């Protein structure tokens, strides 16, 4: 079972405890009430809960109206219906409520991104991508972050960055990030090949957008340039230079 499935199962189990407990209490109270009021056995009382018509048959055979028992049965069956609705609502809300909320948030984010102009798209929200995004936000630049890893995506600070969930190598994701209106795209994934693929896709969609591509070593620099990169960055080299300067 996936992590999401386990989380959903755990959440459903926690939220269903109360409605299920109420349902079982009503069942137990109904059986006990039928036994006490009608003088029948627990098995027959349980059967009455399953087949309410048996109550009328029972009293017709005894030439009695059983008014008190029927009134009690009305309350019990009404309570069972309400408890059942509560259980159903809990299951549906747990299973689909989160998805509906995520869908609504995605629509709202898409609308906000569509209104941006000259923003920067960060592809990959790892340590390098987060650092670039934070510095840009400090400068007042709008930032859109594309991230495919679910756990990393959920850690994006949506108060300062517009999140897009998906693979930045996918043309649709770059369109969702409004690449045609962007000022720059930063391919920040810790994978040189993936970043070069992003550069190729981005330059094909928006030839005028500025492309900054992260690579792992010098061997990829010329490839990234041919892919359309305006600037090629090797984070380890930059950090090493910073350390040297500080010394």
């Amino acid at each position: 079972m996936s992590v999401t499935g386990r989380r959903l199962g755990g959440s459903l189990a926690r939220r269903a405890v109360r409605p299920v407990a109420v349902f079982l209490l009503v069942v137990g109270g109904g059986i006990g009430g039928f036994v006490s009021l009608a003088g029948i056995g627990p098995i027959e009382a349980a059967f009455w809960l399953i087949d309410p018509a048996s109550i009328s048959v029972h009293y017709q055979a005894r030439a009695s109206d059983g008014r008190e028992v029927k009134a009690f049965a009305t309350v019990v069956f009404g309570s069972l219906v309400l408890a059942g609705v509560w259980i159903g609502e809990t299951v549906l809300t747990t299973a689909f409520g989160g998805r509906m909320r995520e869908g609504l948030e995605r629509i709202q984010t898409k609308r906000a991104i569509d209104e941006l102009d000259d923003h920067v798209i960060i592809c990959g929200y790892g340590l390098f991508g987060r650092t670039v995004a934070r510095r840009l936000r400090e400068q007042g630049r709008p930032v859109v972050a594309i991230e495919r890893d679910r756990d990393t995506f959920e850690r994006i600070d949506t108060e300062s960055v517009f999140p897009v969930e998906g693979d930045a190598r996918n043309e649709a994701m770059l369109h969702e990030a409004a690449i045609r209106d962007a000022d720059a795209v930063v391919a920040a994934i810790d994978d040189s090949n993936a970043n070069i693929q992003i550069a190729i896709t981005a330059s094909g969609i928006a030839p005028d957008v500025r492309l900054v591509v992260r690579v792992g070593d010098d061997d990829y620099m010329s490839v990234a340039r041919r892919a359309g990169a305006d600037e090629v960055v090797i984070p380890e080299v930059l950090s090493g230079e910073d350390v040297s300067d500080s010394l």
Side-chain angles (χ1 to χ4, degrees):
M1 182 182 292
S2 66
V3 174
T4 301
R6 289 196 295 270
R7 288 177 179 174
L8 179 60
S11 177
L12 178 59
R14 289 192 299 272
R15 297 187 63 181
V17 168
R18 291 178 62 187
V20 169
V22 170
F23 184 86
L24 293 177
L25 284 173
V26 173
V27 169
I31 292 175
F34 287 144
V35 170
S36 176
L37 294 173
I40 59 176
I43 296 178
E44 186 176 0
F47 184 73
W48 280 11
L49 289 176
I50 299 172
D51 183 17
S54 300
I55 299 175
S56 296
V57 173
H58 175 84
Y59 283 103
Q60 285 175 1
R62 287 163 176 72
S64 173
D65 59 7
R67 186 174 302 173
E68 184 179 9
V69 173
K70 291 180 180 179
F72 175 74
T74 301
V75 174
V76 171
F77 293 130
S79 300
L80 287 175
V81 169
L82 291 175
V85 170
W86 189 6
I87 293 173
E89 181 184 16
T90 300
V91 172
L92 290 175
T93 300
T94 303
F96 301 107
R99 296 179 185 175
M100 293 174 63
R101 183 174 60 254
E102 289 178 1
L104 180 59
E105 290 175 352
R106 185 161 187 164
I107 291 173
Q108 293 173 336
T109 300
K110 182 64 172 66
R111 289 176 178 172
I113 292 174
D114 288 341
E115 295 176 359
L116 294 177
D117 190 29
D118 291 334
H119 57 288
V120 178
I121 301 173
I122 307 292
C123 303
Y125 207 69
L127 179 59
F128 179 71
R130 289 198 304 274
T131 302
V132 175
R134 184 178 68 251
R135 294 297 296 272
L136 289 170
R137 290 303 301 145
E138 290 173 355
Q139 299 169 16
R141 302 284 300 279
V143 174
V144 175
I146 304 177
E147 175 58 56
R148 71 173 182 173
D149 181 75
R150 183 64 182 177
D151 291 336
T152 304
F153 177 79
E154 291 179 346
R155 291 197 294 270
I156 295 177
D157 180 11
T158 56
E159 295 296 323
S160 60
V161 176
F162 297 97
V164 173
E165 185 176 12
D167 191 333
R169 292 172 291 185
N170 188 324
E171 188 173 322
M173 295 299 98
L174 292 173
H175 279 298
E176 187 170 339
I179 185 174
R180 294 186 187 278
D181 297 318
D183 175 59
V185 173
V186 180
I189 300 172
D190 188 15
D191 183 333
S192 299
N193 290 316
N195 290 332
I196 290 170
Q197 291 176 45
I198 292 170
I200 293 172
T201 305
S203 60
I205 301 172
D208 296 330
V209 73
R210 183 184 178 194
L211 287 175
V212 180
V213 178
R214 171 190 182 180
V215 296
D217 54 59
D218 293 337
D219 294 338
Y220 286 99
M221 292 190 70
S222 60
V223 180
R225 293 285 186 187
R226 289 197 297 271
D230 297 293
E231 184 176 350
V232 182
V233 176
I234 304 177
E236 291 77 8
V237 173
L238 291 177
S239 61
E241 292 175 350
D242 289 340
V243 171
S244 298
D245 291 342
S246 68
L247 294 174

